[in-house]
Amino acid sequence: MTGTDDLAARLRSGDRRALARAITLVESGRADHRAAALDLLAALPDPEDCLKIGLSGTPGVGKSTFIESFGLMLTGQGHRVAVLAVDPSSARSGGSILGDKTRMEHLSRDPAAFIRPSPSQSELGGVARRTREAAQLCAAAGYDVVLIETVGVGQSETQVAHMTDLFLLLLAPAGGDELQGVKRGIMEIADIILVNKADGDLRPQALRTCADYAGALRLLRKRPQDPEGFPKAMCVSAIETTGLETAWQEIRTLHRKRRESGWLARSRADQAVHWFEEEVRQALLARLRREPVRGLMADLARRVERGEETPAAAARLLIERMLGPGAPADP
Amino acid sequence: MTGTDDLAARLRSGDRRALARAITLVESGRADHRAAALDLLAALPDPEDCLKIGLSGTPGVGKSTFIESFGLMLTGQGHRVAVLAVDPSSARSGGSILGDKTRMEHLSRDPAAFIRPSPSQSELGGVARRTREAAQLCAAAGYDVVLIETVGVGQSETQVAHMTDLFLLLLAPAGGDELQGVKRGIMEIADIILVNKADGDLRPQALRTCADYAGALRLLRKRPQDPEGFPKAMCVSAIETTGLETAWQEIRTLHRKRRESGWLARSRADQAVHWFEEEVRQALLARLRREPVRGLMADLARRVERGEETPAAAARLLIERMLGPGAPADP
């Protein structure tokens, strides 16, 4: 307990090693570490003035270069920037996207920046919770901009949207007929679409791509909490560092409006409740992953798949085995 | 049990009253009814050649008129058509959308058609399960086209997509700047977007709207199981019954390709497993809605919302109370 208090104090003073240790604690699966992590989180604030930004983009769009340029611009303006990742490293080749810090070599050496690779754990729900808690730790350590990136494995964008104040989607210019396919669901979450690589020969393509997405965004319903014009699409060049300042202004405008309207505070309270309910659900569903329930569930799923059992009958069998006969299988 | 056997036999012979009674049985919350429903579902086949179509469209797009015209065209071609709804009636004013059968007055009197209002229950998960089971009953009763409609309350489209073979989105023409907003998430599910009211003065607008959505669909990633050109956008007029035959040909083409590739059988097996797992989850989560857990959960949610408790600490408290101390709160 004293260890936790000490760690909390050092973290709040901005000690990077304390922050790294605290994140290791929230990432740990050990019961005693988890207990210490809960104490730590309860002892730390989640400052309102920290702007948490979600960022999604498939490999090849220049995400690392964007984070490097954007992050350096922000630290140059006096901000302190933390970068976290939500995707389970096992879901892609070559380990965590941030493991290779050489891809952000200047930002990773910047004393005003803190880069943390994605925890090496395969279960997205667990990674998301740990990343959300790590973001709180970064905020408590005085980082006023926290970037949480995802490459869009499965439901990770939705998870990131539930832990951030606004969401960026990074795209590459697409040529003519072979327009790149945005994964279904991501465009729905994005507050600002940034078409990267708007430089050199690719610039005309980037402008066209931007116009295409701007058109597509207009077909979606406007969010009531946002000013006119959002969600919007813009061009940037991470390599030439053009458009980044404009993007930052738009981000600040959106953030300020959402704050002034009271939506931001409401959203954060809702997010906290969401994660509480999510944790309860996860803990309950964790029972399904424990033997012997897990084995029975897999058997029954195979029988349902082959049509030997209806979904309802199989579910009733499993629930009776778990909770005893007579347990209501009916929601 | 004999009663169930008898009901199953009459239902398979195409007896409409037996079908209606069977659906009432799967909709019932009574434990003995549920047991009989499970027997019934296990005794009946879910014929592969029944085409289940999801249909979404907000009020005002002419959904009832579309179902009336489209349904009558199909029965005129010798098909037997069932229409079900997935939205909880409490979620909109005036009760179930299909309660007012006068809106489909010809189809509702057609002996080759069967229209069933949405079950009057407020909990979407329960309604979805019952609708899926009702669709199976309709298929077993010899209806070879089952239309499942939703007005898009909450997650209902996703639920419908999990119980159908393909998904239609019905839209109205939108004028110039005031392009209608498609609810975020629906466009992602649609296989075919139908812009209705492509008649009279609205026809030019309908053509433009169709082109806009066709453009937007091209920005989304193509599904690997589908032929070139899908998802696609088309114009129809339910009132003038134009475009309906073409739409039906496209539906059949998509359905045939998915069937030939083996994707359809795979999808249905996956759907069955999905609903099995969903039923298990629902039954487990139903524990959270029972007192005293429910009261405690509400209290804790309020404390989390006010920032008095972290999500993780509150979840641990609740789980310990439910499953006993030492129960792992960690997924």
Side-chain angles (χ1 to χ4, degrees):
Chain A
M1 207 56 82
T2 316
T4 305
D5 289 348
D6 181 49
L7 188 59
R10 287 198 289 130
L11 187 147
R12 293 180 75 160
S13 77
D15 181 337
R16 294 169 69 92
R17 284 177 57 200
L19 174 59
R21 252 196 67 202
I23 294 180
T24 303
L25 208 56
V26 300
E27 285 175 2
S28 170
R30 263 175 56 180
D32 57 333
H33 287 172
R34 188 70 200 140
L38 290 189
D39 288 339
L40 186 64
L41 289 164
L44 290 169
D46 192 4
E48 237 202 73
D49 55 355
C50 169
L51 170 55
K52 293 179 186 146
I53 302 174
L55 173 68
S56 180
T58 46
V61 300
K63 193 144 41 81
S64 299
T65 316
F66 172 80
I67 295 173
E68 166 105 337
S69 297
F70 191 65
L72 287 171
M73 179 191 77
L74 294 177
T75 57
Q77 294 177 4
H79 293 285
R80 296 187 69 212
V81 178
V83 184
L84 305 171
V86 90
D87 296 298
S89 57
S90 63
R92 79 182 88 91
S93 60
S96 167
I97 196 169
L98 291 174
D100 183 10
K101 285 196 187 179
T102 55
R103 293 165 70 197
M104 287 175 243
E105 63 169 314
H106 296 291
L107 190 65
S108 64
R109 283 186 309 222
D110 187 330
F114 179 87
I115 300 181
R116 178 78 176 195
S118 178
S120 57
Q121 192 191 322
S122 59
E123 209 250 311
L124 178 62
V127 172
R129 192 205 41 208
R130 285 161 179 77
T131 303
R132 178 183 57 84
E133 292 177 348
Q136 188 195 328
L137 296 175
C138 291
Y143 291 89
D144 63 329
V145 179
V146 178
L147 268 173
I148 303 181
E149 66 137 8
T150 163
V151 290
V153 176
Q155 293 299 303
S156 55
E157 285 85 8
T158 314
Q159 301 266 26
V160 171
H162 275 299
M163 64 180 81
T164 51
D165 302 318
L166 55 81
F167 200 93
L168 308 180
L169 171 62
L170 200 66
L171 296 174
D177 287 341
E178 29 117 25
L179 274 164
Q180 84 206 97
V182 171
K183 207 190 75 174
R184 303 176 160 262
I186 302 191
M187 203 154 70
E188 316 286 302
I189 291 170
D191 293 304
I192 300 177
I193 289 179
L194 299 173
V195 180
N196 192 20
K197 305 189 184 180
D199 44 52
D201 291 349
L202 284 175
R203 191 170 155 77
Q205 269 187 33
L207 291 171
R208 267 200 308 275
T209 302
C210 187
D212 286 343
Y213 281 94
L217 286 176
R218 275 193 294 272
L219 299 178
L220 298 173
R221 191 179 295 172
K222 183 186 161 302
R223 298 191 183 90
Q225 70 268 24
D226 292 340
E228 275 309 317
F230 287 95
K232 69 173 59 182
M234 312 173 50
C235 280
V236 296
S237 164
I239 285 180
E240 297 186 349
T241 69
T242 51
L244 299 181
E245 181 57 40
T246 311
W248 176 237
Q249 292 308 326
E250 296 287 357
I251 289 168
R252 284 168 64 117
T253 297
L254 185 59
H255 184 235
R256 196 185 62 242
K257 296 272 184 183
R258 287 181 171 180
R259 194 171 182 168
E260 286 168 1
S261 70
W263 181 86
L264 194 66
R266 185 70 246 154
S267 164
R268 288 193 174 184
D270 288 346
Q271 287 179 349
V273 173
H274 167 85
W275 290 104
F276 160 60
E277 292 174 350
E278 186 63 24
E279 294 239 357
V280 171
R281 271 191 294 271
Q282 290 296 330
L284 214 47
L285 297 177
R287 294 198 101 186
L288 298 177
R289 289 191 292 273
R290 272 188 274 166
E291 295 296 348
V293 172
R294 180 188 188 151
L296 179 60
M297 187 150 177
D299 283 346
L300 286 168
R302 271 191 295 273
R303 289 172 63 186
V304 168
E305 195 175 10
R306 290 196 293 255
E308 296 163 9
E309 201 84 69
T310 64
R316 166 151 295 194
L317 265 173
L318 185 75
I319 293 297
E320 282 186 358
R321 192 72 72 83
M322 280 180 74
L323 307 178
D330 244 350
Chain B
M1 207 57 84
T2 315
T4 305
D5 288 347
D6 182 48
L7 188 58
R10 287 197 290 130
L11 187 148
R12 293 180 75 160
S13 76
D15 181 338
R16 294 169 69 92
R17 285 178 55 201
L19 174 58
R21 253 197 66 202
I23 294 180
T24 303
L25 206 56
V26 301
E27 285 175 2
S28 170
R30 263 175 56 182
D32 56 333
H33 287 172
R34 188 72 200 138
L38 291 189
D39 288 339
L40 186 65
L41 290 165
L44 290 170
D46 194 4
E48 236 201 74
D49 54 358
C50 169
L51 171 55
K52 292 179 185 143
I53 301 174
L55 173 68
S56 180
T58 45
V61 301
K63 193 141 45 78
S64 300
T65 315
F66 172 79
I67 294 173
E68 166 103 339
S69 297
F70 191 65
L72 287 171
M73 179 191 77
L74 293 177
T75 57
Q77 296 177 4
H79 292 287
R80 298 187 68 213
V81 179
V83 184
L84 304 171
V86 91
D87 295 298
S89 57
S90 63
R92 80 182 87 90
S93 60
S96 168
I97 195 169
L98 292 174
D100 183 9
K101 285 195 184 178
T102 56
R103 293 165 70 196
M104 288 175 242
E105 62 167 315
H106 297 292
L107 191 64
S108 64
R109 285 187 308 222
D110 187 329
F114 179 86
I115 300 182
R116 177 79 176 194
S118 178
S120 58
Q121 193 191 321
S122 60
E123 208 252 310
L124 179 63
V127 173
R129 192 204 44 206
R130 285 161 178 78
T131 303
R132 179 182 57 83
E133 292 176 346
Q136 188 195 329
L137 296 175
C138 292
Y143 292 89
D144 62 329
V145 179
V146 178
L147 269 173
I148 303 180
E149 65 137 6
T150 164
V151 290
V153 176
Q155 293 299 304
S156 55
E157 285 85 10
T158 314
Q159 301 266 26
V160 172
H162 274 299
M163 64 179 82
T164 51
D165 302 319
L166 55 81
F167 200 93
L168 307 180
L169 172 62
L170 200 67
L171 296 175
D177 287 342
E178 27 118 26
L179 275 163
Q180 84 206 98
V182 170
K183 207 189 75 175
R184 305 176 159 259
I186 303 191
M187 203 154 71
E188 317 285 302
I189 291 170
D191 293 305
I192 300 177
I193 289 180
L194 299 174
V195 180
N196 192 21
K197 305 189 183 179
D199 44 51
D201 290 349
L202 284 175
R203 192 171 154 74
Q205 269 187 33
L207 292 170
R208 267 199 309 275
T209 303
C210 187
D212 285 343
Y213 282 95
L217 286 176
R218 275 193 294 274
L219 300 178
L220 298 173
R221 191 179 293 172
K222 184 186 160 302
R223 297 189 184 92
Q225 68 268 24
D226 292 339
E228 275 309 315
F230 287 95
K232 69 172 57 183
M234 311 173 50
C235 279
V236 295
S237 164
I239 284 179
E240 297 186 349
T241 69
T242 51
L244 299 180
E245 180 58 41
T246 312
W248 176 236
Q249 291 309 325
E250 296 286 358
I251 288 169
R252 284 168 63 116
T253 298
L254 184 59
H255 185 234
R256 195 184 65 242
K257 296 273 186 184
R258 287 180 171 180
R259 193 171 183 168
E260 285 168 3
S261 70
W263 181 86
L264 193 66
R266 184 71 246 153
S267 165
R268 289 193 173 185
D270 288 347
Q271 287 179 350
V273 172
H274 167 86
W275 288 107
F276 159 58
E277 292 174 351
E278 186 62 23
E279 294 238 357
V280 170
R281 271 191 294 270
Q282 290 297 331
L284 213 47
L285 297 177
R287 295 198 100 187
L288 298 178
R289 289 191 292 273
R290 272 188 273 165
E291 294 297 347
V293 173
R294 180 189 189 150
L296 179 59
M297 188 151 177
D299 282 347
L300 286 168
R302 272 192 294 274
R303 289 171 62 184
V304 168
E305 196 174 9
R306 290 196 293 256
E308 296 163 10
E309 201 83 69
T310 65
R316 166 152 295 194
L317 265 173
L318 185 74
I319 292 297
E320 282 186 356
R321 192 72 71 84
M322 281 181 74
L323 307 179
D330 244 353

